[in-house]
Amino acid sequence: MSLDIESLFAQREAERYALHARYLNEQMVRVLRTIGFDQAYQRGKGQYLYDRNGRKYLDLLSGWGVFALGRNHPVVRDALKKVLDSDFPNLVQMDVSALAGVLAERLLRYVPHLEKVFFTNSGTESVESSLKFARAATGRDGILYCSHAFHGLTYGSLSINGDQIFREGFGSLLPGCVAVPFNDLVALERALASRTIAGFIVEPIQGKGVTMPSDDYLRSALELCRKYGTLFIADEIQTGLGRTGRFLACEHWGIEPDMVLLSKSLSGGHVPVGAVLTRKWIFDKVFDRMDRAVVHGSTFAKNDLAMAAGLATLEVIESERLMQNAERLGARLLAAFGQMTGRHELVKEVRGKGLMIGIEFGAPRSLKLKASWNLLETANSGLFCQLIVIPLLKEHRILTQVAGHGNHTIKILSPLVITDEDCAWIEQSFETVIADAHRVPGAIWSLGKTLIENAARARASG
Ligand SMILES: Cc1ncc(COP(=O)(O)O)c(C=O)c1O
C-alpha cells in the first residue's frame, strides 16, 4: 500500500480554507479573504505560481525568501529523490554525518574568515544558537539588537524583535536584551560601553521596510564591537546566499562578522534548514569538553535531506550564476522604480540591493490626493499599500506584500531566477497600478473605501 498524495491533494484542495478556518489559523483565512488573496494555487514552478484555471502568477514573495531558486528546482528535487532512494545512515546521532561535513566545508569557502558551522532547522533556531554562543563565548549576558529588527518568533528571537506587535501578550522575555536605533552609532557606543554586552545582532539590510544601513554604519559598528569586546552577529537569513548580488550582504560593506546566520533559501525551499557560521574560538567555548559535546543541538539538525538540499542549492547558485542575475536585474528594477519617484508623487523612495527592493509610498502634495490619503491613514495606517498589492495580484497576477505592520513600503523579494521578461512584467504592472492610484476619484480609492468598510464590519462582528 502507498499513500496517493497527489489524489489526496486533488480531492481535498478545494476545502483548504475551510480546513484552515476549522483546524488551523482562522484569522489568516480571514485576512486572505478580506484582501482577495485566497487564490488556491495549484502548482508552483520556478518563479511562477498557477491557479485552478492554469493562470500564471509571478511570485515576488518567494515564500518570505525561501525560494531563491524558484519552486521545485529540478537539481534540488533530484538530490532529494536520490537521498530518499539511497540507504544513507541518516541521523545516527552517535556518529557524524558525511553530507553535513561537506556542506559545512562548502559554505565556509564563501566566508573564509570563519571556521566552524553549526546547523539548525530554521532561521529562529540559528538566531537562538547565536545568542547562546555569544553568551558562552564572552561570559556576558547582554544582547543588543536594533529597533524594527526581525529575527524570528521563538522566545530568544522574540526578545530581540524590534516590533511591539509581535511581543505583546507573550509575557516576560529574555533579560538583558536592549534595543538601539538602526543606523545610530552614538546610541550603539553608549550601550556597548557598559561592557556587559555579549553580542550585537543586526540584519545588514533590515527586512522590515527594507531599511538600508548608512555607508559607514556596519563597518563602524563592527569596530565599536571590537573595542568593547562584543561579538558582531550578522543575521543574513534573508539577505544571504546571493539575494543582494553577493553571497553575503555584508560583503557590500567589506565587513567580517564574528557569526553569520543563514537559513531560508539554503535548502532551495524544500526542507527546513539553518546554519550559524562562526569563529572557531567561539565554537570551542561552547563545546569545550567531551561531556559538553551535545550541550547545544537539535534532533533533526544535519539531517540528510536538509544537507543534500543545501549542497544542491549551492551548486545551482553557481551554475545558474544567480548572484550575478540578482545583481543585474536588481539594478534594472531599482533604476526603473527610481524613475517612478520622479513621475508619481505617491512614490516617496526606492531602495535596496540586488533582488531585495523596497518601494516606499508617502503622503502626496496635491490637495485631492492628500485628502484621500489622510482619510485612509486615519482609518488604518499602512492600508495604502494594500491598494497597490491587491490590483497587482488581481489585474496583473503579481504576488507581493507590504514590508511589515503599519508600513508604507512594498517589498520585492523575488526568486533570483527571474528574467528580463519578468522584470518588464513587474515594471509595466507597477507603473499601471501606481498611475491609477493618482486618479481621484478612481477604482483604487474606491477599493480603499471598501476595505475600510469591510474592516469596520469585521470588527463589529467580532
Ligand atoms: C532576518 C531574519 N531573521 C530570522 C528570521 C526567522 O526565520 P524563521 O522564520 O525560519 O524562524 C527571519 C524570517 O523571516 C528573517 O527574515
Side-chain angles (χ1 to χ4, degrees), residues 371-384 387 406 408 445 447-456 459:
S372 300
W373 170 277
N374 288 343
L375 200 74
L376 205 68
E377 275 297 288
T378 312
N380 186 338
S381 180
L383 191 62
F384 175 79
L387 306 192
H408 292 112
W445 295 100
L447 172 64
K449 203 162 156 266
T450 311
L451 288 179
I452 294 173
E453 285 164 5
N454 287 352
R459 265 200 305 275

Side-chain angles (χ1 to χ4, degrees), residues 8 54 121 152 166 255 400:
L8 184 66
N121 301 292
F166 288 110
I255 59 160
T400 183

Side-chain angles (χ1 to χ4, degrees), residues 56-286:
K56 181 163 112 177
Y57 296 75
L58 181 57
D59 176 13
L60 302 187
L61 292 178
S62 57
W64 304 138
V66 300
F67 293 111
L69 273 50
R71 281 187 174 73
N72 296 312
H73 195 286
V75 173
V76 184
R77 202 142 83 167
D78 201 42
L80 291 174
K81 282 182 184 166
K82 288 200 169 115
V83 171
L84 291 174
D85 289 341
S86 77
D87 288 320
F88 288 161
N90 193 17
L91 294 175
V92 176
Q93 308 296 4
M94 285 313 289
D95 191 18
V96 293
S97 151
L99 295 183
V102 181
L103 180 57
E105 180 184 65
R106 295 206 178 156
L107 278 172
L108 290 170
R109 275 189 205 149
Y110 290 96
V111 193
H113 76 279
L114 297 179
E115 297 132 317
K116 290 276 190 178
V117 179
F118 180 85
F119 285 111
T120 70
N121 301 292
S122 66
T124 196
E125 245 189 71
S126 298
V127 172
E128 298 280 347
S129 305
S130 74
L131 303 185
K132 284 179 76 177
F133 288 11
R135 282 180 160 190
T138 60
R140 298 173 175 183
D141 252 15
I143 302 291
L144 275 186
Y145 65 97
C146 291
S147 37
H148 304 298
F150 188 91
H151 299 291
L153 296 176
T154 52
Y155 267 107
S157 304
L158 192 61
S159 309
I160 53 167
N161 191 307
D163 193 345
Q164 193 53 24
I165 191 162
F166 288 110
R167 305 159 65 113
E168 271 165 22
F170 294 107
S172 50
L173 301 174
L174 197 66
C177 299
V178 179
V180 285
F182 187 65
N183 272 335
D184 186 339
L185 290 166
V186 175
L188 181 67
E189 178 154 24
R190 205 178 303 127
L192 289 171
S194 65
R195 294 185 190 269
T196 59
I197 305 297
F200 169 55
I201 181 165
V202 63
E203 300 154 85
I205 300 173
Q206 287 195 315
K208 176 166 178 176
V210 190
T211 308
M212 301 294 295
S214 52
D215 279 347
D216 65 335
Y217 178 61
L218 294 172
R219 171 166 289 283
S220 303
L222 182 79
E223 281 165 11
L224 287 174
C225 284
R226 295 269 180 283
K227 181 172 164 192
Y228 293 105
T230 295
L231 299 177
F232 186 103
I233 307 165
D235 180 344
E236 294 255 10
I237 286 165
Q238 191 166 136
T239 51
L241 294 152
R243 158 104 9 233
T244 68
R246 301 277 187 281
F247 189 77
L248 299 181
C250 281
E251 291 171 34
H252 292 286
W253 294 278
I255 59 160
E256 296 189 342
D258 299 305
M259 284 186 255
V260 170
L261 314 183
L262 299 173
S263 183
K264 292 209 188 267
S265 59
L266 181 55
S267 78
H270 279 272
V271 192
V273 70
V276 180
L277 279 51
T278 174
R279 296 188 190 281
K280 182 176 182 308
W281 75 265
I282 297 172
F283 201 86
D284 289 348
K285 286 272 187 174
V286 180

